[in-house]
Amino acid sequence: MSNQISEKTSMHILPPLPYADNALDPVISANTISFHYGKHHKAYVDNLNKLVVGTELVGLSLEKIITATAGKAEKAAIFNNAAQAWNHAFYWNSLIPNGGGEPPAALKKKIEASFVTVDACKKELATAATTQFGSGWAWLVLDGDKLRVVKTSNADSPLTKGAKPLLTIDVWEHAYYLDYQNRRADYVNSVIDKLINWSFAVDNLR
Ligand code: FE
């Protein structure tokens, strides 16, 4: 994923959605996308731009800001907004209209080496997403030469734990509440069955 920084102003940019705001309907409605992308994601980018003014972090990529501020209490606001900006850009790319189904052969082989079957991998991802207590994220990551499923709280990211993210599912309530209310499992299972973008995971393996 490319860095989203304006060359002219060194400001972080809200990256364009990789599809129309109604392209994930009915799994995720245009209404959800309009708030989630247009308000929540945008606010993380805008807040980050305000917070880095006058600091040594101006002009750095999101990845560099995330690793530079992780675990530092006095930098928590910057970390949270930078990580959420990164996580959301990664999430939009983790979904695709008419996604789901079988992963491409090369990824399928890797999944089977780590989880035995694709279904077991999907099940583990669904379990992580539904059991994450409160706000957070479920991830498929490359950890060494193994694929693993992990979950993170709030803005936390596998990037700070040495693992390479391949796919993510946002399980903050703002990701599903307008469409599914409290039924997080229905959102998660529909996303995995119908929207998950295996090709993006393949791109991230490289
Ligand atoms: Fe979100």
Side-chain angles (χ1 to χ4, degrees):
M1 223 165 50
S2 60
N3 284 319
Q4 312 284 349
I5 299 183
S6 158
E7 283 179 14
K8 280 188 190 149
T9 63
S10 296
M11 301 274 276
H12 295 275
I13 300 166
L14 179 67
L17 265 186
Y19 31 70
D21 64 359
N22 63 354
L24 306 182
D25 192 78
V27 179
I28 299 175
S29 68
N31 191 32
T32 289
I33 298 275
S34 75
F35 282 94
H36 196 180
Y37 171 75
K39 306 285 185 196
H40 292 273
H41 187 178
K42 182 175 187 301
Y44 296 125
V45 174
D46 290 347
N47 288 337
L48 176 66
N49 279 324
K50 286 180 202 150
L51 287 164
V52 295
V53 171
T55 74
E56 71 286 5
L57 301 166
V58 170
L60 295 188
S61 67
L62 290 177
E63 288 91 340
K64 285 196 173 137
I65 294 176
I66 290 164
T67 41
T69 57
K72 294 185 177 157
E74 74 283 8
K75 296 277 169 63
I78 293 178
F79 173 82
N80 285 336
N81 284 284
Q84 284 294 79
W86 194 96
N87 293 351
H88 280 86
F90 197 82
Y91 169 66
W92 303 125
N93 282 288
S94 295
L95 311 179
I96 192 167
N98 303 311
E102 282 287 292
L107 177 63
K108 191 175 177 207
K109 228 175 137 183
K110 264 194 127 37
I111 288 175
E112 287 171 348
S114 298
F115 299 93
V116 183
T117 65
V118 172
D119 275 351
C121 173
K122 288 184 191 171
K123 207 173 162 195
E124 207 173 306
L125 189 59
T127 300
T130 49
T131 59
Q132 165 56 32
F133 186 77
S135 296
W137 301 82
W139 306 82
L140 180 66
V141 301
L142 180 66
D143 190 0
D145 58 359
K146 279 271 190 191
L147 302 191
R148 285 206 302 130
V149 165
V150 296
K151 49 188 178 179
T152 59
S153 292
N154 300 316
D156 277 350
S157 160
L159 288 176
T160 63
K161 298 166 182 79
K164 191 173 167 51
L166 303 180
L167 289 171
T168 195
I169 302 175
D170 187 343
V171 296
W172 284 57
E173 284 186 345
H174 65 222
Y176 60 88
Y177 219 82
L178 294 174
D179 296 330
Y180 297 86
Q181 294 77 51
N182 60 322
R183 292 174 285 113
R184 186 195 287 189
D186 289 353
Y187 154 74
V188 165
N189 288 318
S190 297
V191 162
I192 292 172
D193 286 345
K194 299 185 178 124
L195 299 180
I196 207 78
N197 185 358
W198 295 119
S199 299
F200 181 57
V202 173
D203 294 343
N204 291 319
L205 275 174
R206 294 194 185 112

